[in-house]
Each structure stands twice: as structure tokens, then as C-alpha cells.
Amino acid sequence: MEKQTLSQYQEFSEERFTKRIVFKKGDSTVFLLNFLPGQELPPHAHPGSEVFIQMMQGEGTFNVDGEDTVVRQNEVIHCRDQEKMAFKNTGAEPVSLYVMLSKIPDERFAQDL
């Protein structure tokens, strides 16, 4: 077992958003993304991975495949591997996102699960 305190990964920078890895185990990675008001994450996808994101604090807007969704503290979103996602802190306070990337099993083996 491993235990981490997430507040130690909540580091903010005036320059740009920050990414701090909490766990990287096998095919899964957990990290925090931290944004000051107005900072944003450019559009991108995660081929071969499922993405789960919890808004730990603050509020912002996700754009997933061209559709905007406002997300607030304690709300969670899920993006499939080919969905193109972007984020902007549209609120007045800092935002921390708890992100888990989980690799999708190879289809040749998925039927055995």
C-alpha cells in the first residue's frame, strides 16, 4: 500500500499550469493538474487510454470534441481514448484536477476479462 497527501501536489505557477505525478504504476498514471485563473490545457487526446478527471477545487470549462461543459468542485468527467479534450480555468480561484489515465487492454485479450 502507498499513501499520498494530495495537497503536496497542488503547486501553482504564474507561468503556466503545472502537472505533478502522484502515482505511476503499470499501465495507470494518477496526477494533478493545477491552473490559476485563465490558464488552459490545449486540445489533445489520449489514444489507448481512458481518462477520469475529478475537479478537486474551483471551476472551469472542458471542451470535449467541440462541446463545452462547465465542471465544478467534486464533479467528475470521463473521456474515451479518441475524444479530443481541452480545459480552461474560467473561474476566479485556482483549480486542481485529479486525473487518472488507465490504458485500455489490447482487444485481443479484452474478451478474456
Side-chain angles (χ1 to χ4, degrees):
M1 184 185 101
E2 290 182 58
K3 178 182 173 181
Q4 295 290 345
T5 302
L6 293 178
S7 60
Q8 71 182 345
Y9 298 96
Q10 290 180 289
E11 297 177 20
F12 298 91
S13 169
E14 294 287 336
E15 308 279 318
R16 63 183 304 258
F17 74 90
T18 64
K19 176 182 178 180
R20 300 294 181 256
I21 295 177
V22 179
F23 294 109
K24 187 169 179 77
K25 305 291 179 188
D27 291 333
S28 297
T29 305
V30 172
F31 55 91
L32 292 191
L33 294 177
N34 304 291
F35 301 82
L36 291 173
Q39 291 179 335
E40 55 191 292
L41 177 68
H44 66 288
H46 290 276
S49 294
E50 297 288 323
V51 183
F52 302 90
I53 304 171
Q54 176 189 352
M55 177 75 71
M56 289 179 52
Q57 71 177 43
E59 141 180 347
T61 302
F62 282 91
N63 182 288
V64 179
D65 285 345
E67 184 178 329
D68 285 342
T69 302
V70 174
V71 179
R72 295 179 178 84
Q73 184 174 355
N74 295 322
E75 293 183 329
V76 180
I77 69 164
H78 165 247
C79 293
R80 293 182 303 275
D81 67 328
Q82 296 299 321
E83 290 181 306
K84 194 173 238 186
M85 169 187 68
F87 174 79
K88 183 171 184 177
N89 179 348
T90 52
E93 62 182 78
V95 162
S96 288
L97 302 175
Y98 178 95
V99 182
M100 180 181 160
L101 293 179
S102 183
K103 186 174 180 183
I104 300 169
D106 187 308
E107 289 182 13
R108 293 173 295 172
F109 306 109
Q111 63 192 5
D112 295 335
L113 299 178

